[in-house]
Amino acid sequence: NDNTGGNNSSTANTTINALVDLAITKTSGSTFVVGGSASFTVTPNNIAGFGPTSGVITVVDTLPTGLTYVAAGSGGAGWACGSAGQTVTCTSSAVIAAGASGTTITINVTVGSNAVPSVTNTVTVSGGNEPAANTGNNSAVLTVPVSNMAVNTFLTDGAQTGLPGTSVLYPHIFNAGLSGSVSFATSDISSPATPGWITQVYRDTNCNGTLDGAEGAAVLAGSINVNPGDQVCLIVRSNIPAAAPFNGQDAITVTATFAPTAGPTTTYTRQDVTTVGAAGGAGLVLSKSVRNVTQGGAAGTNNNAKPGEVLEYIITYSNSSSAPISMIVINDNTPNYTNFITASCGAPLPAALTACTVSAQPAVGVGGNVQWTLTGSLNAAQSGTVIFRVTVQ
């Protein structure tokens, strides 16, 4: 018999590690702007202290409303990605060692207007032989701000008087806030209907408001590529037919069609109104400025405004000839996307004018034609003003 008893057993400690503990991160270095493109970067990880993954790993990213998946450029080495609606699913059988990260996944999107002011995106990871007990860290949430599309602007409406058989010029400026291309077109309606009105569009390369040198040699055709901050200057020439009657008008709509690099095509319109003057009115000159009443800004040929703000348009009439001008009628139209408030005549009137009346105007809160009739004569070198105000929609 063995009576010692003290050495008949031994102990060894064994630490049993769980098979896998997956985690995931989601980041983005993009600026999210309506109409633009952006991307997310998704990275699966295997927590240190556990074993390597085995089998298929699945990453699921359910995109929020306002983001649309773009397959081109999406995915990552070793990942097979596809989408069904807003759900993007990527799978891989590549092994992720303990304490290591898997190959990153890029998810490209386009940004819609319903993504403003922010979107929250959740991504999950599963599989890889991970036990259910370790799935508490299998998701990541990222919220990003979304701003509205940068703004293009197209300036400005015009109104001039010219004699039959002559031409008048209207300058316009397209300011690009987005990358894309822009093209221009015109349409016109004469009143009374008179054949022979012709409208032409030219590129004003030096943006000085006149046709210099070769600028008037060929009409503008095709589209122009633009980047944010670019400016495209135009001259619209209104050719008055020789048979046009006194006080006849041609209402010209100038349309800028903008095709952005990403997103829907947008159109912008301005309006020019040409009025036929009498032979005795050859010296009548009209100029127009605008000021933002709400912001208290100064008057100029260009200005800025926000919805709800009030703009005041000032039309200055003057006589550049050596003889008096009579039977003066001034016509203008409220700009697109504005509502009429009021119209008036500037004071005091030039000495030989006996009256100034607003002879036509739209109802308050809508748009349309504004007309002033001047009674008496405008003597040589004299000038005056007529005014109207609108609210920006």
Side-chain angles (χ1 to χ4, degrees), residues 130-313:
E130 179 186 38
N134 288 353
T135 59
N137 56 349
N138 282 29
S139 64
V141 179
L142 180 65
T143 299
V144 294
V146 180
S147 58
N148 277 309
M149 180 183 295
V151 177
N152 298 319
T153 58
F154 188 34
L155 308 169
T156 288
D157 295 333
Q160 293 191 55
T161 299
L163 294 177
T166 66
S167 299
V168 293
L169 304 179
Y170 296 101
H172 294 280
I173 301 174
F174 183 87
N175 295 303
L178 297 166
S179 296
S181 62
V182 61
S183 58
F184 302 92
T186 62
S187 61
D188 66 299
I189 300 174
S190 60
S191 176
T194 305
W197 286 95
I198 298 174
T199 304
Q200 299 160 309
V201 181
Y202 298 90
R203 180 79 180 267
D204 181 13
T205 54
N206 59 5
C207 293
N208 69 348
T210 62
L211 292 176
D212 301 316
E215 290 177 344
V219 296
L220 179 61
S223 59
I224 300 169
N225 293 327
V226 292
N227 292 307
D230 286 352
Q231 188 176 74
V232 180
C233 298
L234 308 175
I235 295 290
V236 173
R237 183 161 68 189
S238 173
N239 301 292
I240 306 170
F246 172 62
N247 266 347
Q249 283 191 332
D250 194 42
I252 305 166
T253 299
V254 188
T255 301
T257 301
F258 179 75
T261 303
T265 296
T266 308
T267 58
Y268 306 82
T269 59
R270 305 309 314 189
Q271 190 164 59
D272 300 324
V273 178
T274 302
T275 302
V276 183
L284 182 64
V285 177
L286 299 179
S287 61
K288 188 175 182 180
S289 62
V290 59
R291 73 181 185 95
N292 190 312
V293 176
T294 304
Q295 296 180 14
T301 54
N302 296 324
N303 226 310
N304 297 305
K306 300 175 183 177
E309 294 185 336
V310 175
L311 295 178
E312 180 179 78
Y313 288 89

Side-chain angles (χ1 to χ4, degrees), residues 40-59:
F40 296 99
T41 299
V42 175
T43 307
N45 307 289
N46 189 8
I47 302 300
F50 297 90
T53 63
S54 62
V56 176
I57 298 172
T58 301
V59 171

Side-chain angles (χ1 to χ4, degrees), residues 73 106 120 122 138 152 187 247 269 281 296 307 310 324 331 336 350 379 384 393:
T106 298
T120 298
T122 300
N138 282 29
N152 298 319
S187 61
N247 266 347
T269 59
V310 175
N331 288 274
N336 291 329
N379 288 334
Q393 295 177 0

